[in-house]
Structures are given as C-alpha cells and as structure tokens.
Amino acid sequence: MLAAVISPVTLQAESVVPQIEESDVATLPPLSPHMLLLTGDGSIKGTRIIDGDSGKILGTIHTQDLTNVRIAPDGAFFYVAETIWTRGNRGVRQDLLTIYDARTLKIVDEIDLPGRLLVGNRRQTFEISADGRHAFIYNMDPASSVIVVDLARRKVARTIEIPGCALVFAGAAATISSLCGDGTLSTIGIDARQSQDLTPAQPFFSAEDDPIFDNSIADPKSGKAIFLSYSGLVYTATLAPGQGVDAPWSLQQAAGMSPASTRPLEVSWLPGGRQLIAYHRATGTLYVLMHMGEFWSHKEDGKEIWVVDVANRKVLRRHRLAEPVSHIQVSQDDAPLLFLNIENKLVIVDAKTFEEKKSLDNVGNGMMMVPGE
Amino acid sequence: MDKIRTDALSERLLRSLAGRTSRRGMLARLGAALVAAPAFPLLPVSRAEAAKDRTAQGLTDFARHAQSKDDTNCDYWRYCAIDGSLCSCCGGGLHTCPPGTEPSPTSWVGTCINPDDGVAYLIAYRDCCGTAMCGQCGCDNTDRESQIYRPQANNDIYWCFGTASMEYHCSTAVLVGVAQ
C-alpha cells in the first residue's frame, strides 16, 4: 500500500545515500572550565553534563533522586554517591559510591557504603579531598558520622562519628570539618586512630535563631570556608587544626543598608533558595541569591543576585533577575559563566556582564557542579 | 512563598525511592544518637522556647495568616514547618497515615500557634512511609526551620527512619503538647 504512493523521485533520492551507517557511541571531550554537571530531581532524573558555551547536553550520568555527584580533582572521574534498593521501591538497601570514567561514562568501580543520609539539594553531604585520595560521605541513621573512602584502594577506610554535628567540608592538612547543632565547628583529622576535635569548641552562631546554610562553601585545597547565615551574616574561616572562625559581617551592610532584622513584620533583603551561593575562587567573588522578605523565608527563590567582594566586604553589584532563581553556580575560569536554575530551566549568563548566553528547558533542578570548584 | 508550584516542590515532595532498613541496626544507631543528646534531642521539647511573643508583633508571616478550618491547605496552623505532601489530601489525616503506609517513629518538629486560642503547640511532623509519593497538596513552610546539623528542626531530611520502607508518601502534623 505504502509502496504504491512513493514517487519515483523519492526512490531516486534515497538511492544516492553514499554509505551504510553503523551505530556508534560518543565520548565526552576532556573536562573544560565551562562544563556543568546538573543533577536532576524527582521529575527529571539523571545528571546532565552541559557545555556552557554551546548550551548543549554532552551526556547524562544515571542518577536517582537524592544523589550526590562530584568531579575528581584531576578530571578523570565522576563520583556518584547514591542509594538504590534491590527490588526497586523495596528490598535490600544499597548505598554506593559509583565511579564513572569522565570520557566514556562507563562504570569503573562501585564501592559499597555503610549508609548515607537521604536528603535533597545538599552540597556538603559528599566531598572529595583536594588531592583526590579520599571521598567523604555524610551519614545520619540517625546518629551522625562521616564515611571516609580511600579512592586509591577503592574501599571504605573508616567511619568517623560526629555526634551533634553534620555535613562534611574537606579542609587543609587532611582534616574534615562539620557544623554542629550547638553552634560550633568541629574539625577532625581523617587519618587519626582516634577522632579528636581539633578546633576550639566555641559557639559562633545560633542554630535556632540564625542558622548557617548547609549549602555554605569551602575550598578543599586551601581550607578557606565561607559560611552564610539566614540573616545574611558572612563568617569566613580556615578549616584547619586550631583555627577559629572570623567575626561575621553583614551582607546588607556591605551593600550600604542596615543589617537584616530577624524579627517578624520587618522586611529585609535576605539570602534564600536551594543552592543559593556560588564562589569564584580566583577573584574571591561571591554570588548570592537574595530576596525581600521576613526572617524564616530562607527557602524563597532569589529575585536578585548580589555580587560580593569577600576580602573587602563589599557588594559590588546587585543584578535584578527577570525570573526567580533557586540554584546558582559559577565556572572557575577567568571568563566565568553563571549557571542559574529554576524549575528545571537552566539559564547561562556571562558572570561579568550578566548577558544571557544560552538557556535550556527540562534539564533538572538539582545541585550544579563545575570543574575546579 | 509559592506553595503549589508543581515542578519545584521541595526535595521532600519529590521523594520517590523506597527501601528497607534494618530495624535492629536503626535502634542501635538511635542509641548512639541518644548518647549525643542534648546536641541531638529526639523529643521536641527544645522547640518550646520558640515563639514566646504571642502578640501580633511577635507572630511570623505564617502565623499571622494561618487558619484552623481546612487541614488540606498549606496555611492550616499546624503546618508552620511542614514540608511535603499533606496526608489529609492522600487518604489519611492530621495524625493518620493513609492505607498501606506506616508512620515513622521519628520526626522533625515545629512550634505552631493555634489562631483560635493563641497558644503555641508542639507539632511532630511524622512521615508516612512505604508507598509511592502522594504528590497532592505539596507544602513547604519554614517557621523556625533549621539545617541538618539540627536534624529535629530540618524538614528536608527523609524522616522514614525506623520504618519497614524508606519510601516517602506524605507528612502528618501530630499535636504532641503545649509549648511552655
């Protein structure tokens, strides 16, 4: 029937196909500064690898909800901390650190983990040491611990109990640091036979009155950390034995305003969102999603991006957003791109001019990672 | 805050995995957590100090607009720190899990003010676990909601510890006492 309606012209066009094609599989280009890893969420699964310059998807890593992804410091691997069950929605729980080749996306190895916390939109529940030798997975079941994985031997090295604390920031000098419910910072050596808190146990924030966002930032290489509180207080610290936390300063004051109020009925510009800050290390520039609201509105999406010179405690620029944004990330090169995400839509803008370069819909709305962060 | 945005509902609402955790192992770990108390208080008493000022000036944005008539809406007074699907929209109720699910013995907590009597009550947000995510009536309220280093005050964590399946279905808001 169909053959009867195909014209001779069509047949002639098909007959000039030069060769028979065979299926093959692409490989990823070497990791470059403008590549982005964007994790999905409940509605869109998988972690997309996106070229920030072309705005095109280069590949996808299989990830479930509540998965953490990290890039190996040398760019050779992608590390995925994930949880699956033998019968899909039931059966035996399996917590894994899965290692993917960063060019082929083939699984290189799987390391069984004794657990991990199931929580969404958290950056510091999984971290890699600056030398790439260790992975750290935060676990709460519901006691708190950090699982240390030896990535060279590809096995769990030890579990460090961190009672009353949570999260894992990789610090300098083979240490990890965690934030604690009593307002302190805990720093522990990863190789010590007995865990010992190496930081002065002095509370520096209130977990009840002005909590520090879990999605604060630390550089595993230098141990320099930036902790941001709900009210917009910035605490800088060096994560290393014996180091304390610097006195905080107010983001709003750095923009020439009064410090934000924590009282009801008083409206201030406040930080908020999910992945609400991004840090460009080479220039010491912090990008913060801000909204106008009352205290306890800390999950509200950003309506402005504040560009902050951390060393000089100065807000350099306030950029009004056309659409609210829940997640922000910045590439680490000298021509940086900002990656903005809301409701599965990714917008890529020039971090210096805020000119929109590319946008993509339906790509997921989870945490974003870039090389060299 | 947009409470009904479907694509960007909180991460808790997007939970869809299920699983099994060892109850014995969980109890052992619960014991370890108790040792860590009071840094990790498992009972909601630590929140009783919150929100003592009951005047209009002391009420949060949520409390000023809360209602006591409809427990299928995000602005129902007990939901001041809830995050997820309301079990009242899923075949359950304020303290009732829908059929085929199991209430978690653990919870995060909130201190919410009843607009009818102006009294602050302790609310335990217990997840109902064990079947596919309900997906109805997604709310994400954040009164006095802290981060995961104060887990009992964090509403992003999967609170299906100690249940046969860790699959999140919906959240209840159980009244457990009067805040002092």
Side-chain angles (χ1 to χ4, degrees):
Chain A
M1 196 68 178
L2 268 177
V5 296
I6 294 173
S7 70
V9 177
T10 307
L11 286 172
Q12 193 177 12
E14 285 178 353
S15 66
V16 298
V17 171
Q19 63 189 48
I20 295 170
E21 294 177 336
E22 292 187 14
S23 297
D24 58 0
V25 180
T27 56
L28 289 161
L31 216 57
S32 60
H34 284 180
M35 280 165 73
L36 174 76
L37 269 64
L38 169 55
T39 56
D41 50 28
S43 56
I44 296 179
K45 297 192 192 310
T47 294
R48 272 143 199 88
I49 303 159
I50 296 162
D51 173 24
D53 291 319
S54 66
K56 293 195 168 163
I57 293 173
L58 302 174
T60 301
I61 307 169
H62 180 87
T63 53
Q64 308 273 3
D65 286 355
L66 312 180
T67 298
N68 293 111
V69 181
R70 279 283 190 265
I71 303 167
D74 66 2
F77 304 111
F78 298 130
Y79 296 115
V80 175
E82 58 186 340
T83 302
I84 56 175
W85 283 264
T86 53
R87 296 193 179 191
N89 69 340
R90 61 193 184 277
V92 178
R93 175 173 168 165
Q94 298 175 326
D95 298 289
L96 300 169
L97 174 53
T98 306
I99 304 174
Y100 287 86
D101 182 282
R103 301 294 299 276
T104 65
L105 292 190
K106 288 185 173 164
I107 293 176
V108 176
D109 212 340
E110 296 170 323
I111 303 167
D112 289 328
L113 300 173
R116 54 186 288 271
L117 174 64
L118 297 180
V119 63
N121 276 315
R122 289 302 190 281
R123 175 191 163 83
Q124 296 306 142
T125 44
F126 183 38
E127 186 57 285
I128 307 291
S129 63
D131 60 10
R133 279 189 56 85
H134 294 98
F136 309 111
I137 297 101
Y138 174 62
N139 189 22
M140 190 187 108
D141 61 355
S144 274
S145 62
V146 173
I147 299 157
V148 181
V149 175
D150 184 329
L151 290 172
R153 299 169 68 189
R154 296 203 174 138
K155 56 187 269 192
V156 172
R158 63 188 291 228
T159 296
I160 300 173
E161 300 285 343
I162 51 167
C165 305
L167 307 167
V168 56
F169 297 89
T175 59
I176 52 167
S177 295
S178 301
L179 289 169
C180 306
D182 62 1
T184 61
L185 180 71
S186 171
T187 296
I188 296 172
I190 59 170
D191 296 324
R193 285 188 180 276
Q194 288 193 329
S195 302
Q196 191 176 359
D197 197 334
L198 303 168
T199 43
Q202 290 172 342
F204 68 97
F205 75 101
S206 168
E208 291 197 3
D209 299 329
D210 190 13
I212 283 175
F213 285 99
D214 287 341
N215 285 334
S216 292
I217 282 179
D219 175 8
K221 205 175 282 181
S222 65
K224 299 280 185 195
I226 300 170
F227 300 117
L228 178 66
S229 81
Y230 285 10
S231 75
L233 293 180
V234 178
Y235 300 81
T236 53
T238 301
L239 305 180
Q243 296 289 313
V245 178
D246 302 328
W249 47 277
S250 153
L251 269 183
Q252 295 81 0
Q253 278 189 307
M257 305 172 180
S258 301
S261 169
T262 60
R263 288 187 291 275
L265 291 167
E266 295 188 16
V267 174
S268 314
W269 278 101
L270 292 166
R274 306 290 172 159
Q275 186 173 8
L276 74 160
I277 61 174
Y279 186 57
H280 188 259
R281 286 188 186 145
T283 56
T285 308
L286 188 69
Y287 299 85
V288 188
L289 296 178
M290 302 288 288
H291 66 278
M292 184 78 95
E294 290 179 52
F295 199 68
W296 302 117
S297 59
H298 48 280
K299 287 189 186 177
E300 195 155 321
D301 300 326
K303 309 296 189 297
E304 289 190 359
I305 297 171
W306 286 20
V307 184
V308 187
D309 177 345
V310 174
N312 292 308
R313 304 183 176 189
K314 189 169 171 53
V315 172
L316 303 173
R317 177 173 181 170
R318 292 172 51 189
H319 174 74
R320 187 155 197 82
L321 290 158
E323 296 174 272
V325 167
S326 60
H327 295 69
I328 186 170
Q329 181 57 284
V330 64
S331 71
Q332 296 296 314
D333 58 320
D334 57 7
L337 296 175
L338 277 178
F339 301 99
L340 311 176
N341 195 302
I342 184 75
E343 296 186 22
N344 299 315
K345 180 183 181 184
L346 176 70
V347 178
I348 304 168
V349 303
D350 185 307
K352 291 176 180 167
T353 64
F354 284 89
E355 179 195 353
E356 183 173 326
K357 302 295 234 182
K358 301 284 176 188
S359 72
L360 269 131
D361 287 318
N362 302 315
V363 284
N365 192 207
M367 299 298 285
M368 297 188 284
M369 280 68 58
V370 292
E373 63 169 321
Chain B
M1 185 174 296
D2 184 356
K3 300 185 184 70
I4 53 169
R5 191 174 65 204
T6 51
D7 280 345
L9 289 177
S10 73
E11 53 280 345
R12 284 173 43 78
L13 182 56
L14 296 171
R15 296 175 284 203
S16 59
L17 274 179
R20 184 176 298 275
T21 185
S22 156
R23 191 174 287 267
R24 182 179 298 171
M26 181 268 167
L27 287 173
R29 303 292 294 162
L30 201 61
L34 280 167
V35 171
F40 190 116
L42 290 172
L43 294 173
V45 288
S46 67
R47 305 307 303 163
E49 292 302 309
K52 276 189 173 171
D53 183 355
R54 311 281 188 261
T55 66
Q57 287 70 34
L59 296 180
T60 62
D61 181 50
F62 178 91
R64 294 197 304 275
H65 298 99
Q67 50 86 17
S68 59
K69 304 286 183 272
D70 182 0
D71 64 9
T72 63
N73 262 320
C74 294
D75 62 358
Y76 183 74
W77 70 275
R78 289 196 203 183
Y79 298 149
C80 72
I82 206 165
D83 182 0
S85 274
L86 305 178
C87 291
S88 297
C89 300
C90 308
L94 281 171
H95 56 82
T96 305
C97 284
T101 67
E102 180 185 4
S104 172
T106 60
S107 69
W108 79 104
V109 293
T111 304
C112 304
I113 295 167
N114 183 341
D116 292 341
D117 59 14
V119 173
Y121 292 89
L122 295 172
I123 308 297
Y125 299 108
R126 293 189 189 130
D127 285 346
C128 298
C129 311
T131 193
M133 178 186 70
C134 170
Q136 295 292 307
C137 303
C139 305
D140 193 355
N141 294 327
T142 53
D143 268 13
R144 291 171 289 281
E145 195 253 357
S146 190
Q147 300 283 289
I148 64 176
Y149 47 78
R150 292 282 291 180
Q152 70 277 15
N154 179 263
N155 66 18
D156 291 331
I157 293 169
Y158 268 42
W159 277 103
C160 290
F161 299 107
T163 52
S165 164
M166 278 204 77
E167 182 163 26
Y168 170 80
H169 180 64
C170 64
S171 299
T172 61
V174 183
L175 196 153
V176 293
V178 176
Q180 300 303 308

